[in-house]
Amino acid sequence: MSRALPKYHKRRVAMIGGAAAVVLSGAVIAGSALAGETSNNGDQAATNASPGTVNCPAVEGSLPEIPASAQAEVERNLTLLDTQISEANRRLVDTVGQGGPNFVQNAILGPLEDKRIATLNRIETAIGRAAEKPEGLEALAACDLNAGGAADAGGEAEEEPTEAATGAADENAGGAGAGDAGNAENDENGAGAEDAGNAGAAGTISCPDVEPSLPAEIPASAQAEVDSNLAQLDTQISEANQRLVDTVGQGGPNFVQNAILGPLEDKRVAALNRIETAIGRAAEKPEGLEALAACELNQ
């Protein structure tokens, strides 16, 4: 008995030591895995924490001497341009990780471009009432994303809308496709229509008819330009309806408002401003057509 006891103790010590080694190995492996996971999560967090910022061309340096009568309106619209950039930067932060590969372009940069086009058109019109109207400010509308994000990365752009995205450029060009962001200063609040992006039925867009609100007599010199912009309004609606179909199921609860209806309103404001300006060159300028810019979603 006394001789067997030492062997028993040796076996027990060996078993305990082996078990401890297994536990220790497991702890090391688990610790390594956790460290790797933590690192990956840290990288992801770093990515999500750096959406970048919006960079837009400066406008003031491209303006002519501003008539005193237009100064207040021009300053107001220059301030609005700054506000639009601030709102876009906030959207970059609020939507990190949302959307598809073109989300930032279609939901933030594109709609921002549309808003800037409408605002730059108002600046041109304000100056043109008392001096030679500047042309081509729309070339300053497009913005890009500074380091920290990419048009395809930051929020993960989803070709979402912006109906704008591309469109803005025109409003000359009609709509691009994706707009995503809000209306002229419409920002992202969409009402009932907003949820349609996630719904199974795309619905259709309904906009106020413009022609009945135009003067009874349109100057012959303005007729072609007015007709061109009326046609542009129809094209914008068609493109927005197509976007509804193409983006069913995309985006968050305000997608349709911010990516389609809002950008569409901005485009319509710019087109309606051009109609007012065209008529105003040869007759009394109609005012208030912008009230016809907002559209809604029919289900």
PDB file of all heavy atoms in Angstrom, residues 114 117 121 138 167-175 229 232 236 263-264 266-271 274:
ATOM      1  N   ASP A 114     -28.556  68.600 -56.798  1.00  0.00           N
ATOM      2  CA  ASP A 114     -29.841  69.148 -57.238  1.00  0.00           C
ATOM      3  C   ASP A 114     -30.206  70.410 -56.460  1.00  0.00           C
ATOM      4  O   ASP A 114     -30.671  71.400 -57.026  1.00  0.00           O
ATOM      5  CB  ASP A 114     -30.951  68.108 -57.042  1.00  0.00           C
ATOM      6  CG  ASP A 114     -30.936  67.053 -58.138  1.00  0.00           C
ATOM      7  OD1 ASP A 114     -30.286  67.265 -59.168  1.00  0.00           O
ATOM      8  OD2 ASP A 114     -31.593  66.011 -57.953  1.00  0.00           O
ATOM      9  N   ILE A 117     -28.049  73.282 -57.599  1.00  0.00           N
ATOM     10  CA  ILE A 117     -28.463  73.814 -58.904  1.00  0.00           C
ATOM     11  C   ILE A 117     -29.622  74.788 -58.745  1.00  0.00           C
ATOM     12  O   ILE A 117     -29.623  75.891 -59.312  1.00  0.00           O
ATOM     13  CB  ILE A 117     -28.858  72.671 -59.854  1.00  0.00           C
ATOM     14  CG1 ILE A 117     -27.609  71.964 -60.369  1.00  0.00           C
ATOM     15  CG2 ILE A 117     -29.673  73.193 -61.040  1.00  0.00           C
ATOM     16  CD1 ILE A 117     -27.897  70.741 -61.198  1.00  0.00           C
ATOM     17  N   ASN A 121     -29.367  78.746 -59.515  1.00  0.00           N
ATOM     18  CA  ASN A 121     -30.299  79.367 -60.469  1.00  0.00           C
ATOM     19  C   ASN A 121     -30.971  80.588 -59.860  1.00  0.00           C
ATOM     20  O   ASN A 121     -31.188  81.603 -60.532  1.00  0.00           O
ATOM     21  CB  ASN A 121     -31.366  78.361 -60.911  1.00  0.00           C
ATOM     22  CG  ASN A 121     -30.852  77.382 -61.950  1.00  0.00           C
ATOM     23  OD1 ASN A 121     -29.865  77.640 -62.628  1.00  0.00           O
ATOM     24  ND2 ASN A 121     -31.504  76.243 -62.078  1.00  0.00           N
ATOM     25  N   GLU A 138     -24.239  76.664 -62.676  1.00  0.00           N
ATOM     26  CA  GLU A 138     -24.565  75.251 -62.414  1.00  0.00           C
ATOM     27  C   GLU A 138     -23.317  74.367 -62.464  1.00  0.00           C
ATOM     28  O   GLU A 138     -23.306  73.273 -61.896  1.00  0.00           O
ATOM     29  CB  GLU A 138     -25.582  74.733 -63.430  1.00  0.00           C
ATOM     30  CG  GLU A 138     -26.953  75.371 -63.335  1.00  0.00           C
ATOM     31  CD  GLU A 138     -27.056  76.656 -64.146  1.00  0.00           C
ATOM     32  OE1 GLU A 138     -26.002  77.182 -64.593  1.00  0.00           O
ATOM     33  OE2 GLU A 138     -28.190  77.127 -64.347  1.00  0.00           O
ATOM     34  N   GLY A 167     -28.796  63.591 -61.880  1.00  0.00           N
ATOM     35  CA  GLY A 167     -29.653  64.504 -62.450  1.00  0.00           C
ATOM     36  C   GLY A 167     -29.350  65.835 -62.177  1.00  0.00           C
ATOM     37  O   GLY A 167     -29.592  66.712 -62.904  1.00  0.00           O
ATOM     38  N   ALA A 168     -28.900  66.110 -61.117  1.00  0.00           N
ATOM     39  CA  ALA A 168     -28.791  67.410 -60.854  1.00  0.00           C
ATOM     40  C   ALA A 168     -28.212  68.161 -61.864  1.00  0.00           C
ATOM     41  O   ALA A 168     -28.441  69.255 -62.071  1.00  0.00           O
ATOM     42  CB  ALA A 168     -27.939  67.515 -59.762  1.00  0.00           C
ATOM     43  N   ALA A 169     -27.318  67.747 -62.487  1.00  0.00           N
ATOM     44  CA  ALA A 169     -26.751  68.583 -63.351  1.00  0.00           C
ATOM     45  C   ALA A 169     -27.672  69.186 -64.204  1.00  0.00           C
ATOM     46  O   ALA A 169     -27.423  70.059 -64.786  1.00  0.00           O
ATOM     47  CB  ALA A 169     -25.816  67.922 -64.143  1.00  0.00           C
ATOM     48  N   ASP A 170     -28.639  69.030 -64.293  1.00  0.00           N
ATOM     49  CA  ASP A 170     -29.392  69.934 -64.968  1.00  0.00           C
ATOM     50  C   ASP A 170     -30.334  70.582 -64.337  1.00  0.00           C
ATOM     51  O   ASP A 170     -30.747  71.315 -64.611  1.00  0.00           O
ATOM     52  CB  ASP A 170     -30.062  69.337 -65.901  1.00  0.00           C
ATOM     53  CG  ASP A 170     -30.895  70.146 -66.539  1.00  0.00           C
ATOM     54  OD1 ASP A 170     -31.607  70.856 -66.407  1.00  0.00           O
ATOM     55  OD2 ASP A 170     -31.009  70.083 -67.345  1.00  0.00           O
ATOM     56  N   GLU A 171     -30.359  70.407 -63.889  1.00  0.00           N
ATOM     57  CA  GLU A 171     -31.569  70.336 -64.193  1.00  0.00           C
ATOM     58  C   GLU A 171     -31.395  70.507 -65.511  1.00  0.00           C
ATOM     59  O   GLU A 171     -32.041  70.567 -66.252  1.00  0.00           O
ATOM     60  CB  GLU A 171     -32.129  71.348 -63.623  1.00  0.00           C
ATOM     61  CG  GLU A 171     -32.681  70.708 -62.864  1.00  0.00           C
ATOM     62  CD  GLU A 171     -33.773  70.639 -62.623  1.00  0.00           C
ATOM     63  OE1 GLU A 171     -34.574  70.539 -62.735  1.00  0.00           O
ATOM     64  OE2 GLU A 171     -33.941  70.583 -62.230  1.00  0.00           O
ATOM     65  N   ASN A 172     -30.383  70.462 -66.040  1.00  0.00           N
ATOM     66  CA  ASN A 172     -30.276  70.491 -67.395  1.00  0.00           C
ATOM     67  C   ASN A 172     -30.329  69.157 -67.859  1.00  0.00           C
ATOM     68  O   ASN A 172     -30.601  68.900 -68.943  1.00  0.00           O
ATOM     69  CB  ASN A 172     -28.952  70.960 -67.750  1.00  0.00           C
ATOM     70  CG  ASN A 172     -28.915  72.357 -67.658  1.00  0.00           C
ATOM     71  OD1 ASN A 172     -29.806  72.995 -67.956  1.00  0.00           O
ATOM     72  ND2 ASN A 172     -27.861  72.891 -67.298  1.00  0.00           N
ATOM     73  N   ALA A 173     -29.964  68.338 -67.129  1.00  0.00           N
ATOM     74  CA  ALA A 173     -29.946  67.063 -67.606  1.00  0.00           C
ATOM     75  C   ALA A 173     -30.918  66.221 -67.039  1.00  0.00           C
ATOM     76  O   ALA A 173     -30.848  65.128 -66.956  1.00  0.00           O
ATOM     77  CB  ALA A 173     -28.688  66.505 -67.266  1.00  0.00           C
ATOM     78  N   GLY A 174     -31.727  66.680 -66.393  1.00  0.00           N
ATOM     79  CA  GLY A 174     -32.765  65.883 -66.084  1.00  0.00           C
ATOM     80  C   GLY A 174     -32.557  64.974 -65.138  1.00  0.00           C
ATOM     81  O   GLY A 174     -32.155  64.697 -64.517  1.00  0.00           O
ATOM     82  N   GLY A 175     -32.880  64.253 -64.656  1.00  0.00           N
ATOM     83  CA  GLY A 175     -32.622  63.552 -63.663  1.00  0.00           C
ATOM     84  C   GLY A 175     -31.986  62.503 -63.528  1.00  0.00           C
ATOM     85  O   GLY A 175     -32.138  61.664 -63.825  1.00  0.00           O
ATOM     86  N   ASN A 229     -38.877  73.407 -71.253  1.00  0.00           N
ATOM     87  CA  ASN A 229     -38.888  73.149 -69.819  1.00  0.00           C
ATOM     88  C   ASN A 229     -40.144  72.408 -69.372  1.00  0.00           C
ATOM     89  O   ASN A 229     -40.100  71.614 -68.427  1.00  0.00           O
ATOM     90  CB  ASN A 229     -38.725  74.467 -69.044  1.00  0.00           C
ATOM     91  CG  ASN A 229     -37.282  74.936 -69.006  1.00  0.00           C
ATOM     92  OD1 ASN A 229     -36.449  74.368 -68.304  1.00  0.00           O
ATOM     93  ND2 ASN A 229     -36.965  75.955 -69.797  1.00  0.00           N
ATOM     94  N   GLN A 232     -39.323  69.018 -70.049  1.00  0.00           N
ATOM     95  CA  GLN A 232     -38.369  68.551 -69.040  1.00  0.00           C
ATOM     96  C   GLN A 232     -39.095  68.129 -67.767  1.00  0.00           C
ATOM     97  O   GLN A 232     -38.743  67.129 -67.127  1.00  0.00           O
ATOM     98  CB  GLN A 232     -37.370  69.670 -68.719  1.00  0.00           C
ATOM     99  CG  GLN A 232     -36.311  69.292 -67.704  1.00  0.00           C
ATOM    100  CD  GLN A 232     -35.361  68.243 -68.228  1.00  0.00           C
ATOM    101  OE1 GLN A 232     -34.757  68.424 -69.262  1.00  0.00           O
ATOM    102  NE2 GLN A 232     -35.238  67.146 -67.521  1.00  0.00           N
ATOM    103  N   GLN A 236     -38.829  64.474 -66.057  1.00  0.00           N
ATOM    104  CA  GLN A 236     -38.423  64.278 -64.663  1.00  0.00           C
ATOM    105  C   GLN A 236     -39.391  63.340 -63.939  1.00  0.00           C
ATOM    106  O   GLN A 236     -38.977  62.484 -63.147  1.00  0.00           O
ATOM    107  CB  GLN A 236     -38.370  65.633 -63.949  1.00  0.00           C
ATOM    108  CG  GLN A 236     -37.245  66.530 -64.437  1.00  0.00           C
ATOM    109  CD  GLN A 236     -37.410  67.977 -64.007  1.00  0.00           C
ATOM    110  OE1 GLN A 236     -38.440  68.349 -63.440  1.00  0.00           O
ATOM    111  NE2 GLN A 236     -36.420  68.799 -64.275  1.00  0.00           N
ATOM    112  N   PRO A 263     -35.464  65.085 -54.426  1.00  0.00           N
ATOM    113  CA  PRO A 263     -34.676  65.497 -55.588  1.00  0.00           C
ATOM    114  C   PRO A 263     -35.563  65.925 -56.762  1.00  0.00           C
ATOM    115  O   PRO A 263     -35.216  66.842 -57.493  1.00  0.00           O
ATOM    116  CB  PRO A 263     -33.873  64.241 -55.932  1.00  0.00           C
ATOM    117  CG  PRO A 263     -33.741  63.540 -54.627  1.00  0.00           C
ATOM    118  CD  PRO A 263     -35.037  63.773 -53.911  1.00  0.00           C
ATOM    119  N   LEU A 264     -36.696  65.258 -56.941  1.00  0.00           N
ATOM    120  CA  LEU A 264     -37.610  65.649 -58.014  1.00  0.00           C
ATOM    121  C   LEU A 264     -38.109  67.064 -57.783  1.00  0.00           C
ATOM    122  O   LEU A 264     -38.183  67.871 -58.716  1.00  0.00           O
ATOM    123  CB  LEU A 264     -38.792  64.677 -58.074  1.00  0.00           C
ATOM    124  CG  LEU A 264     -39.919  65.041 -59.061  1.00  0.00           C
ATOM    125  CD1 LEU A 264     -39.394  65.127 -60.493  1.00  0.00           C
ATOM    126  CD2 LEU A 264     -41.056  64.028 -58.963  1.00  0.00           C
ATOM    127  N   ASP A 266     -36.583  69.477 -56.222  1.00  0.00           N
ATOM    128  CA  ASP A 266     -35.490  70.410 -56.540  1.00  0.00           C
ATOM    129  C   ASP A 266     -35.366  70.630 -58.046  1.00  0.00           C
ATOM    130  O   ASP A 266     -35.172  71.756 -58.513  1.00  0.00           O
ATOM    131  CB  ASP A 266     -34.166  69.858 -56.004  1.00  0.00           C
ATOM    132  CG  ASP A 266     -34.036  70.027 -54.500  1.00  0.00           C
ATOM    133  OD1 ASP A 266     -34.788  70.817 -53.935  1.00  0.00           O
ATOM    134  OD2 ASP A 266     -33.184  69.354 -53.907  1.00  0.00           O
ATOM    135  N   LYS A 267     -35.475  69.557 -58.808  1.00  0.00           N
ATOM    136  CA  LYS A 267     -35.371  69.678 -60.256  1.00  0.00           C
ATOM    137  C   LYS A 267     -36.522  70.512 -60.816  1.00  0.00           C
ATOM    138  O   LYS A 267     -36.341  71.321 -61.723  1.00  0.00           O
ATOM    139  CB  LYS A 267     -35.374  68.292 -60.897  1.00  0.00           C
ATOM    140  CG  LYS A 267     -34.143  67.466 -60.594  1.00  0.00           C
ATOM    141  CD  LYS A 267     -34.289  66.077 -61.188  1.00  0.00           C
ATOM    142  CE  LYS A 267     -33.098  65.208 -60.828  1.00  0.00           C
ATOM    143  NZ  LYS A 267     -33.219  63.854 -61.387  1.00  0.00           N
ATOM    144  N   ARG A 268     -37.703  70.277 -60.267  1.00  0.00           N
ATOM    145  CA  ARG A 268     -38.867  71.031 -60.743  1.00  0.00           C
ATOM    146  C   ARG A 268     -38.747  72.516 -60.394  1.00  0.00           C
ATOM    147  O   ARG A 268     -39.122  73.378 -61.188  1.00  0.00           O
ATOM    148  CB  ARG A 268     -40.150  70.438 -60.143  1.00  0.00           C
ATOM    149  CG  ARG A 268     -40.556  69.133 -60.792  1.00  0.00           C
ATOM    150  CD  ARG A 268     -41.739  68.481 -60.089  1.00  0.00           C
ATOM    151  NE  ARG A 268     -42.940  69.302 -60.088  1.00  0.00           N
ATOM    152  CZ  ARG A 268     -43.826  69.374 -61.082  1.00  0.00           C
ATOM    153  NH1 ARG A 268     -43.619  68.654 -62.195  1.00  0.00           N
ATOM    154  NH2 ARG A 268     -44.903  70.129 -60.981  1.00  0.00           N
ATOM    155  N   VAL A 269     -38.208  72.815 -59.231  1.00  0.00           N
ATOM    156  CA  VAL A 269     -37.997  74.224 -58.861  1.00  0.00           C
ATOM    157  C   VAL A 269     -37.096  74.907 -59.890  1.00  0.00           C
ATOM    158  O   VAL A 269     -37.371  76.020 -60.356  1.00  0.00           O
ATOM    159  CB  VAL A 269     -37.371  74.332 -57.450  1.00  0.00           C
ATOM    160  CG1 VAL A 269     -36.831  75.744 -57.201  1.00  0.00           C
ATOM    161  CG2 VAL A 269     -38.401  73.988 -56.385  1.00  0.00           C
ATOM    162  N   ALA A 270     -36.008  74.230 -60.262  1.00  0.00           N
ATOM    163  CA  ALA A 270     -35.081  74.810 -61.238  1.00  0.00           C
ATOM    164  C   ALA A 270     -35.761  74.995 -62.589  1.00  0.00           C
ATOM    165  O   ALA A 270     -35.600  76.036 -63.244  1.00  0.00           O
ATOM    166  CB  ALA A 270     -33.851  73.924 -61.379  1.00  0.00           C
ATOM    167  N   ALA A 271     -36.528  74.011 -63.042  1.00  0.00           N
ATOM    168  CA  ALA A 271     -37.209  74.115 -64.333  1.00  0.00           C
ATOM    169  C   ALA A 271     -38.266  75.221 -64.304  1.00  0.00           C
ATOM    170  O   ALA A 271     -38.417  75.990 -65.260  1.00  0.00           O
ATOM    171  CB  ALA A 271     -37.851  72.777 -64.700  1.00  0.00           C
ATOM    172  N   ARG A 274     -36.689  78.539 -64.572  1.00  0.00           N
ATOM    173  CA  ARG A 274     -36.290  78.855 -65.952  1.00  0.00           C
ATOM    174  C   ARG A 274     -37.490  79.308 -66.775  1.00  0.00           C
ATOM    175  O   ARG A 274     -37.364  80.185 -67.640  1.00  0.00           O
ATOM    176  CB  ARG A 274     -35.618  77.626 -66.580  1.00  0.00           C
ATOM    177  CG  ARG A 274     -34.234  77.329 -66.008  1.00  0.00           C
ATOM    178  CD  ARG A 274     -33.460  76.354 -66.888  1.00  0.00           C
ATOM    179  NE  ARG A 274     -34.084  75.054 -66.943  1.00  0.00           N
ATOM    180  CZ  ARG A 274     -33.823  74.058 -66.109  1.00  0.00           C
ATOM    181  NH1 ARG A 274     -32.971  74.243 -65.121  1.00  0.00           N
ATOM    182  NH2 ARG A 274     -34.407  72.873 -66.249  1.00  0.00           N
TER     183      ARG A 274
END
